[in-house]
Amino acid sequence: MNENRLAGILLIVGALITIVTILFEYKIGWIGVDRTRSETPQFLLENWNRMKFIWSWQTFGYFISTLAYFVFFKNSQGILSLFWSILILCECLKVVAMCLTLGSYQPALEVFSSNPEVFNTIGGGIRTLYATAQLGGLFLMVVFIIETFKKNGVVHKWMGITILAFVLIAIGIGVATTIPVKVTGTSSFLIPIVLGLGYLKNKN
């Protein structure tokens, strides 16, 4: 098995793990429930063990995706090499943000009632890291488009166009309705899954 095919498997596994953790976030009410920012610390404190379990797996999913991006970067050239390097950076930022969350949130939550500035400062920094890391999704979409439309791309053109249309429609539904965008946005994980399958099936 060549390295890109192995990276395709890692890309699929990382995406599937992340999807499952997001669905569990929805199930326990972390997303999909209206709450004020002041109510968030209490929710986290009451549900910390479950959130820690979910976020630990989510961190692992991001780490698996980082490994996949590194292999693709190692075996790519030109503009794709640049995009994979940016994706490595963005995914590493996610891992760092999640590790900071897992390591610092609980002690900060325990003193929140007497010293809320600690949690608010840590949370603000983590949100900035994570928001920056989310830009990686755009670069992954660009890679997906390149692999869809270039000659001998790993994604079949009709499949690529269908997936892109579905993802954009799903995110649009999240924006236009009360369904959380983070839930409808899970459709975007079809991009790494289909891309991973393309690399897995590609024997070149």
Side-chain angles (χ1 to χ4, degrees):
M1 180 182 292
N2 66 39
E3 290 185 346
N4 275 358
R5 296 181 72 188
L6 175 60
I9 294 174
L10 292 175
L11 197 59
I12 294 167
V13 171
L16 289 176
I17 291 173
T18 307
I19 289 172
V20 171
T21 61
I22 291 172
L23 293 177
F24 272 105
E25 284 179 335
Y26 182 77
K27 182 179 179 181
I28 71 169
W30 173 242
I31 57 177
V33 176
D34 290 331
R35 72 172 60 87
T36 64
R37 178 163 292 187
S38 61
E39 294 172 328
T40 297
Q42 185 61 34
F43 173 87
L44 287 172
L45 193 57
E46 292 173 354
N47 297 276
W48 178 249
N49 287 336
R50 289 189 290 176
M51 292 303 301
K52 184 177 181 180
F53 178 78
I54 293 169
W55 285 344
S56 294
W57 274 100
Q58 198 166 102
T59 305
F60 180 64
Y62 293 149
F63 176 73
I64 293 296
S65 296
T66 304
L67 293 179
Y69 295 155
F70 180 79
V71 175
F72 288 134
F73 167 74
K74 179 173 172 284
N75 294 305
S76 63
Q77 296 178 343
I79 192 69
L80 280 177
S81 177
L82 174 62
F83 289 144
W84 288 124
S85 66
I86 294 172
L87 282 162
I88 291 170
L89 175 61
C90 290
E91 209 69 9
C92 283
L93 286 178
K94 287 184 185 180
V95 172
V96 170
M98 295 305 294
C99 287
L100 288 173
T101 298
L102 293 168
S104 63
Y105 263 25
Q106 186 174 15
L109 288 166
E110 289 173 350
V111 299
F112 182 79
S113 59
S114 60
N115 193 4
E117 292 81 8
V118 174
F119 176 79
N120 291 335
T121 300
I122 293 172
I126 290 172
R127 283 192 297 273
T128 300
L129 275 177
Y130 197 78
T132 303
Q134 291 295 88
L135 294 173
L138 296 176
F139 288 97
L140 187 60
M141 184 175 289
V142 171
V143 171
F144 185 84
I145 291 171
I146 291 172
E147 290 291 3
T148 297
F149 291 100
K150 79 173 185 179
K151 184 179 180 181
N152 298 322
V154 300
V155 179
H156 292 296
K157 187 173 294 186
W158 67 268
M159 175 63 79
I161 293 172
T162 301
I163 293 298
L164 286 170
F166 178 78
V167 169
L168 292 174
I169 290 170
I171 293 174
I173 290 173
V175 172
T177 67
T178 57
I179 303 173
V181 173
K182 191 169 184 181
V183 174
T184 61
T186 56
S187 61
S188 64
F189 286 98
L190 286 171
I191 289 176
I193 290 172
V194 173
L195 190 60
L197 285 171
Y199 280 110
L200 179 59
K201 292 179 180 180
N202 185 37
K203 297 181 180 180
N204 295 328

